[in-house]
Amino acid sequence: MSVSRFQAMDVIENRLVPEVNAPSANISEFFGCNVFGDEAMQAFMSEETYLSVKATVQTGQKLTREVAEKVAEAMKAWATSKGATHYTHWFQPLTGRTAEKHDSFFTLRPDGTVLEEFSAEALVQQEPDGSSFPGGGMRSTFEARGYTVWDPSSPAFVLEVGDGRTLCIPTIFTTYGGDAMDYKLPLLRSQTVLEQASIAVCKMFDENVNHVHATLGWEQEYFLIDQALFRARPDLFYAGRTLLGASSAKGQQFEDHYFGSIPERVYAYMRDLETECHKLGIPVRTRHNEVAPAQYELAPMFEEINIAIDHNQLLMDIMDRVAGRHKLAVLLAEKPFNFINGSGKHNNWSMATDTGKNLLSPGKDPMKNLQFLTFFVNVIRAVYEHADLLRASVASAGNDHRLGANEAPPAIVSVFAGEGMTRILDAVENGTAARFDDMASEMELLSKLPTMEVHNTDRNRTSPFAFTGNKFEIRMVGSSASCAAPMTVMNTIMAQQLKNFKADVDALMAGGTAKEEAIIKVLRRYIGESKAIRFEGDGYSNEWKEEAARRGLPNVPNSAQALGAYVSPKAVELFTSNGVLTDKELQAHFSVKLEKYIKDIQIEASLLREMVLTMVLPACVEYQNSLLQNIALQKEIGLDKDAYEAQLDIVEKISKHLNGAKKAIDRLHKAIHKAESAGGLHDEAIAFGLEVKPVFDEVRKHVDHLEQLMDDQQWPLPKMRELLFVR
Ligand code: ADP
Ligand code: MG
């Protein structure tokens, strides 16, 4: 039997806030202590080996076997000094979370001797049985082998779980034939093309640029509720969101939670979580209450994109573990509760050079400004060209409840440039100057705009893609999602755009146009062409939906439909020609996303049915019986109908809504059967989204009425007010 709602409340009354002990009050003293980073490498490797590893990370060239052997030796020595007994290749299958399979260093030799061992083979490549990971048909079970291959660009780390210590080695996950079965490999490939394309463009401005990398700073929103209440709700426990529940009288009306004082239990959780993050080198810095009750956020300093993504994946794992210690449950789902805000994971994205420049930071000197403007305009143009793909990259059943739900960006992709930048773009576009000299003075003028003005970009929280002074913030990503898919798309569309830009400028220059003039000309054209994607107004408004339709911008609220953009001829061409995903990989990843979408809804449907028939209905019948008994007794002593009018009314209403709920459940079943026979996977997913999902609301409507009619003492499921406010 599951924990009852009242048992849960009793348990919470007696909770103690666990003590939180950081290794030191100064984070700098223990930051990264469980990471095999520069410091550890230098301590455990020869100078020569260390430099080889660094060169590999910089250039991507392969490590020789000899060096790999030395790295493995050093890693083992370091990890065992930290108490690690096991190692694992840590990877990111298409489930969107992380996977690990531990092996011990301890080995028994044929001659009976025992020792701790870690070879170059074990470091570089492993063969976990991949048959149970989603592969979208790339690897049928008879060729079930999947390979994990070391990614030296993301440092190994020791994960502490209770008293256990495991060396985790970030890896990519592929089939025998080398096809990507994870999110990391396409991401790494997208970084490579972005780097190549960016360097070529950077060199137009500065010959000294030899490396460019994308940067990512994510902001993770989440809900935190008591574990006992969480366990008393099968929907939360198994689906991560409530499928039933009348709204709480008090919700987020006062908006008093945002940036409010952090409750003590939550504060302890945050400190504990941050300590774990810091030990693992995740540079989290910011914590605060979010808008909805029981909603919070944490954010790190930005990092190189691959590492930032690994860190976010690791974070989601640690959040769960630490919550367990505090008898709390973390909800990462995009929309755990109706009627209040959902959670997102803003992705702050930019690009940085090895000369220390943030390519999306407006500089002071005009030529540098032209470089900034070049990258800025190319981002806008890339988003304009591939808005549908960006939308597809954040598609999930969970995010369907959030996008466009009046507190999250709409499903229409648009770019917010801010007032200062809009003025600059308009000036460039309308600049009557045909020659660069005139343009240069225009640019110079622009460069004199106080930098503050650009930074002051009014925080348009309704935009899905906003310039925030020195980076773009992509707000559509769901809170439970891996950042890898949207970031892979972002890198790839930008790479393609920069290639086009370079070709356009080169063509003009070949015709005799001077470089700067050619650049301005091309940018001017791009600004004009991509104007439709720019929107500074209220993205939540209905007017915007109409306006966007007039502009011809795609608006696809349903994720299953949106996913189609992944396999459009345009996307196939983009991904394959840039070497980010092969046609086969693309089809496979597409299938995995569709399957996940369908399964998420199937699981929710089963849970909903079970909760209604086995929890709600019996409770309602019991209450109804007690009312009927009361009515019968009143009748027996000769009272007339007036006396038991209220009881009778409730009895009737309970019957009405119980029948309504049962009928809706039956309709849900029919809709599922119909969807399952829709033919192709894509059509099936769309049917689940458009025909199955809406029936959930019909069931819920009746059950939520019942909740408000029922004896509070007999209602089995923790109520919204309890979930959100009891701690
Ligand atoms: P806020 O949005 O609260 O004003 P910031 O703008 O400082 O805070 O940062 C929000 C997030 O954006 C943080 O995770 C931060 O590290 C990240 N960020 C800042 N600069 C960059 C950049 N150049 N590239 C990527 N992310 C960045
Ligand atoms: Mg922000």
Side-chain angles (χ1 to χ4, degrees):
M1 202 180 88
S2 49
V3 192
S4 86
R5 173 177 158 227
F6 293 100
Q7 282 167 326
M9 301 290 271
D10 280 347
V11 168
I12 298 170
E13 280 305 312
N14 299 313
R15 292 260 196 246
L16 298 173
V17 179
E19 214 174 294
V20 179
N21 292 312
S24 154
N26 292 333
I27 296 164
S28 57
E29 280 172 32
F30 66 94
F31 183 78
C33 65
N34 285 345
V35 181
F36 194 57
D38 282 338
E39 208 179 299
M41 281 199 273
Q42 278 168 318
F44 283 82
M45 284 175 184
S46 69
E47 172 91 7
E48 197 190 343
T49 311
Y50 171 71
L51 292 175
S52 308
V53 176
K54 291 305 271 185
T56 297
V57 173
Q58 281 278 320
T59 62
Q61 84 203 18
K62 268 204 156 141
L63 275 187
T64 63
R65 205 206 134 85
E66 208 174 75
V67 175
E69 203 66 70
K70 286 182 179 144
V71 176
E73 198 47 51
M75 239 187 226
K76 187 195 79 183
W78 171 76
T80 49
S81 80
K82 292 269 157 200
T85 54
H86 288 63
Y87 63 91
T88 179
H89 275 194
W90 183 80
F91 59 105
Q92 300 165 23
L94 298 171
T95 54
R97 298 302 285 261
T98 56
E100 46 193 83
K101 173 184 159 231
H102 301 190
D103 285 297
S104 69
F105 290 122
F106 158 80
T107 324
L108 184 60
R109 283 273 174 83
D111 66 3
T113 52
V114 289
L115 75 166
E116 325 286 342
E117 189 180 61
F118 185 50
S119 64
E121 287 88 5
L123 165 65
V124 174
Q125 184 170 315
Q126 295 266 303
E127 191 199 312
D129 176 10
S131 57
S132 299
F133 290 106
M138 269 189 302
R139 172 198 31 51
S140 45
T141 25
F142 60 86
E143 43 165 89
R145 278 179 298 184
Y147 289 85
T148 51
V149 183
W150 180 34
D151 166 20
S153 67
S154 182
F157 53 91
V158 165
L159 197 61
E160 304 178 346
V161 178
D163 294 335
R165 303 281 181 276
T166 303
L167 170 67
C168 298
I169 300 152
T171 55
I172 56 169
F173 184 44
T174 72
T175 62
Y176 179 66
D179 302 312
M181 287 213 295
D182 69 354
Y183 287 114
K184 199 192 235 296
L185 181 54
L187 176 85
L188 293 176
R189 291 170 180 159
S190 76
Q191 280 178 263
T192 306
V193 278
L194 179 63
E195 167 153 43
Q196 285 161 354
S198 309
I199 291 172
V201 172
C202 281
K203 283 199 186 288
M204 291 178 169
F205 303 94
D206 181 359
E207 272 300 326
N208 296 319
V209 173
N210 289 313
H211 289 292
V212 174
H213 64 265
T215 51
L216 167 64
W218 39 260
E219 302 164 47
Q220 178 73 57
E221 292 181 340
Y222 61 98
F223 281 86
L224 207 55
I225 63 170
D226 189 90
Q227 196 182 58
L229 292 169
F230 172 74
R231 289 186 175 170
R233 298 254 346 186
D235 47 359
L236 279 178
F237 194 93
Y238 294 102
R241 72 182 192 99
T242 57
L243 302 171
L244 299 170
S247 74
S248 163
K250 183 175 188 306
Q252 62 185 46
Q253 296 96 327
F254 300 123
E255 310 226 317
D256 53 354
H257 192 252
Y258 192 57
F259 286 6
S261 75
I262 299 172
E264 193 177 338
R265 270 184 85 189
V266 176
Y267 188 49
Y269 167 76
M270 288 174 164
R271 283 167 44 228
D272 205 357
L273 173 62
E274 287 165 12
T275 300
E276 294 302 324
C277 286
H278 290 145
K279 285 198 254 177
L280 288 163
I282 308 175
V284 291
R285 265 193 96 185
T286 307
R287 53 164 107 111
H288 61 80
N289 287 5
E290 256 303 327
V291 173
Q295 192 186 28
Y296 309 93
E297 178 182 307
L298 91 164
M301 305 203 20
F302 68 92
E303 298 175 279
E304 187 274 326
I305 197 164
N306 179 35
I307 293 178
I309 292 175
D310 279 0
H311 279 169
N312 184 251
Q313 294 293 115
L314 186 53
L315 172 92
M316 291 195 282
D317 187 28
I318 307 171
M319 285 178 95
D320 255 355
R321 295 184 197 278
V322 175
R325 291 210 283 265
H326 292 252
K327 304 291 176 213
L328 291 164
V330 168
L331 307 178
L332 288 177
E334 283 72 21
K335 188 82 177 176
F337 308 101
N338 278 11
F339 319 109
I340 57 170
N341 282 12
S343 300
K345 174 161 11 204
H346 298 171
N347 280 203
N348 294 275
W349 177 91
S350 187
M351 285 181 290
T353 66
D354 57 344
T355 53
K357 278 248 145 2
N358 172 357
L359 291 170
L360 290 173
S361 180
K364 288 203 174 101
D365 121 3
M367 275 319 289
K368 287 285 163 1
N369 240 345
L370 187 55
Q371 177 173 348
F372 156 72
L373 201 62
T374 294
F375 280 90
F376 185 79
V377 170
N378 275 295
V379 172
I380 294 178
R381 164 97 193 206
V383 175
Y384 171 70
E385 279 294 328
H386 298 285
D388 58 341
L389 202 52
L390 265 181
R391 163 67 186 97
S393 74
V394 300
S396 72
N399 219 8
D400 270 2
H401 298 284
R402 171 179 168 262
L403 291 183
N406 284 325
E407 25 69 32
I412 309 161
V413 177
S414 64
V415 179
F416 173 82
E419 203 190 318
M421 280 314 300
T422 299
R423 236 183 311 141
I424 292 180
L425 293 176
D426 289 347
V428 176
E429 188 189 5
N430 305 328
T432 41
R435 289 164 23 80
F436 175 67
D437 287 351
D438 307 331
M439 199 59 226
S441 55
E442 209 170 280
M443 286 297 301
E444 183 145 357
L445 202 76
L446 295 173
S447 75
K448 297 225 164 68
L449 284 174
T451 340
M452 268 310 287
E453 222 161 327
V454 178
H455 276 266
N456 256 347
T457 50
D458 164 40
R459 302 210 155 236
N460 184 333
R461 307 189 96 236
T462 69
S463 174
F465 197 104
F467 183 61
T468 52
N470 56 3
K471 65 201 178 274
F472 280 94
E473 183 168 336
I474 302 158
R475 302 207 176 106
M476 308 172 83
V477 186
S479 46
S480 71
S482 157
C483 306
M487 291 298 96
T488 301
V489 167
M490 200 53 229
N491 290 346
T492 310
I493 64 177
M494 187 60 178
Q496 182 57 53
Q497 178 55 43
L498 290 171
K499 285 187 198 173
N500 296 349
F501 171 76
K502 177 83 173 35
D504 287 343
V505 171
D506 285 350
L508 284 181
M509 283 168 66
T513 312
K515 183 168 81 179
E516 287 77 9
E517 201 182 322
I519 292 172
I520 298 271
K521 261 196 174 151
V522 173
L523 293 182
R524 178 175 293 155
R525 173 158 70 79
Y526 287 177
I527 293 170
E529 286 169 355
S530 54
K531 222 170 169 173
I533 199 80
R534 276 163 52 205
F535 179 62
E536 302 290 303
D538 178 3
Y540 297 172
S541 68
N542 278 325
E543 293 78 61
W544 169 231
K545 282 189 196 133
E546 290 157 22
E547 167 67 15
R550 275 193 295 277
R551 293 189 191 183
L553 296 178
N555 177 11
V556 192
N558 176 260
S559 280
Q561 284 177 309
L563 279 170
Y566 259 109
V567 289
S568 71
K570 192 171 165 187
V572 174
E573 170 64 22
L574 173 81
F575 282 123
T576 55
S577 69
N578 282 292
V580 172
L581 285 163
T582 62
D583 200 7
K584 183 175 162 197
E585 289 169 334
L586 202 48
Q587 296 294 341
H589 289 211
F590 176 57
S591 299
V592 170
K593 280 177 189 279
L594 294 174
E595 279 165 12
K596 169 121 177 50
Y597 185 86
I598 294 169
K599 282 179 197 160
D600 280 343
I601 300 177
Q602 278 170 333
I603 290 171
E604 288 184 355
S606 305
L607 280 168
L608 185 62
R609 176 171 194 272
E610 191 185 332
M611 287 168 74
V612 172
L613 298 185
T614 71
M615 297 177 91
V616 172
L617 188 135
C620 290
V621 169
E622 201 177 317
Y623 178 49
Q624 212 181 23
N625 282 346
S626 68
L627 291 174
L628 285 169
Q629 221 166 22
N630 173 273
I631 293 168
L633 288 174
Q634 297 207 39
K635 267 189 180 162
E636 219 174 272
I637 60 169
L639 294 180
D640 67 15
K641 218 174 162 185
D642 285 352
Y644 48 82
E645 200 180 347
Q647 288 88 324
L648 199 58
D649 182 49
I650 293 174
V651 165
E652 280 167 6
K653 283 195 173 121
I654 288 178
S655 292
K656 182 181 127 198
H657 289 299
L658 272 183
N659 288 325
K662 174 68 174 59
K663 278 184 189 142
I665 292 275
D666 294 342
R667 277 199 299 282
L668 186 64
H669 254 258
K670 276 203 192 105
I672 289 173
H673 273 296
K674 192 162 159 242
E676 282 169 348
S677 55
L681 199 57
H682 195 199
D683 287 337
E684 184 180 338
I686 292 174
F688 265 93
L690 298 184
E691 281 154 44
V692 176
K693 254 184 176 188
V695 191
F696 279 68
D697 296 337
E698 296 174 29
V699 180
R700 181 173 197 146
K701 193 182 70 194
H702 289 292
V703 176
D704 292 356
H705 274 294
L706 287 169
E707 180 182 326
Q708 285 164 316
L709 292 170
M710 275 283 293
D711 176 5
D712 183 65
Q713 293 298 311
Q714 292 181 37
W715 188 252
L717 298 163
K719 294 186 171 181
M720 288 298 163
R721 60 167 189 264
E722 294 155 355
L723 293 170
L724 296 174
F725 293 99
V726 176
R727 55 178 75 92

